[in-house]
Amino acid sequence: MNELELLQKIKDLDKTITTNKLFTRKLNEDDWDNLVDWWRWWRWKPPVKSFLPENGTGGLMVEKNGVPIVAGFMYETNASVILFEWVISNPKYKEKDRKQAVKKLINDAEKKTKELGVKFMFSIGRNKHLIETHKNLGWFVDDKPSHEMLKNL
């Protein structure tokens, strides 16, 4: 077997290993249009890039077979806390592992937070399914709703 054949075999094996598996990666510029479409579908006003960490790339995306499923943004602070915000999902993704993808996003954000040496994560949400997922993953969820407050300066 020559070098090219061996390289092709490795690529084929890698494809077999990753097919039909949820995969988490860092957000990139190419995700932006999808995210905007998702926010609009869910009737959210898309934030401007400058409102998001790393100008819209400071977060994670879970995908399967190259199909993006769910994303969230990780705001690093000057305290030992990561703000985990703007969790949004692909409204067209209807597979049975959708909830698993959301759990994976949160779990992988937690792992990344620990890798950064940060001790806490903080998130604000109103979607009952997302809140329940956080609870099931051991997050404290205050029983009194909060309100987001924002001022454009």
Side-chain angles (χ1 to χ4, degrees), residues 14-152:
D14 185 52
K15 188 175 182 181
T16 302
I17 291 168
T18 58
T19 300
N20 293 322
K21 300 237 176 167
L22 296 172
F23 173 75
T24 305
R25 62 170 173 77
K26 186 175 181 341
L27 285 169
N28 62 57
E29 283 290 328
D30 294 334
D31 294 315
W32 184 251
D33 290 339
N34 279 335
L35 295 171
V36 169
D37 288 344
W38 297 356
W39 282 315
R40 288 184 177 143
W41 193 95
W42 290 110
R43 295 182 181 93
W44 292 8
K45 182 179 180 184
V48 295
K49 284 184 176 183
S50 61
F51 189 79
L52 299 168
E54 298 176 43
N55 206 36
T57 63
L60 302 175
M61 172 73 78
V62 175
E63 60 181 35
K64 179 177 167 184
N65 298 333
V67 176
I69 303 168
V70 63
F73 291 86
M74 300 177 68
Y75 291 82
E76 294 184 42
T77 71
N78 63 354
S80 191
V81 62
I82 292 278
L83 302 178
F84 185 58
E85 292 296 332
W86 295 97
V87 174
I88 189 74
S89 64
N90 180 347
K92 294 178 183 172
Y93 189 83
K94 306 290 186 191
E95 301 295 320
K96 292 180 181 179
D97 57 1
R98 181 182 179 88
K99 288 182 182 179
Q100 184 183 350
V102 174
K103 288 180 186 176
K104 181 166 181 50
L105 175 71
I106 297 167
N107 283 328
D108 288 350
E110 289 176 11
K111 287 177 191 171
K112 176 142 178 73
T113 298
K114 288 177 186 176
E115 288 171 7
L116 293 170
V118 176
K119 298 193 183 304
F120 304 101
M121 290 181 75
F122 179 82
S123 188
I124 298 170
R126 61 177 73 123
N127 178 282
K128 66 181 179 180
H129 299 292
L130 188 57
I131 291 169
E132 194 60 32
T133 300
H134 277 85
K135 278 184 189 177
N136 291 337
L137 293 174
W139 286 58
F140 168 77
V141 177
D142 193 346
D143 59 355
K144 296 178 186 169
S146 300
H147 298 276
E148 298 91 9
M149 291 169 271
L150 172 71
K151 184 174 185 178
N152 190 356

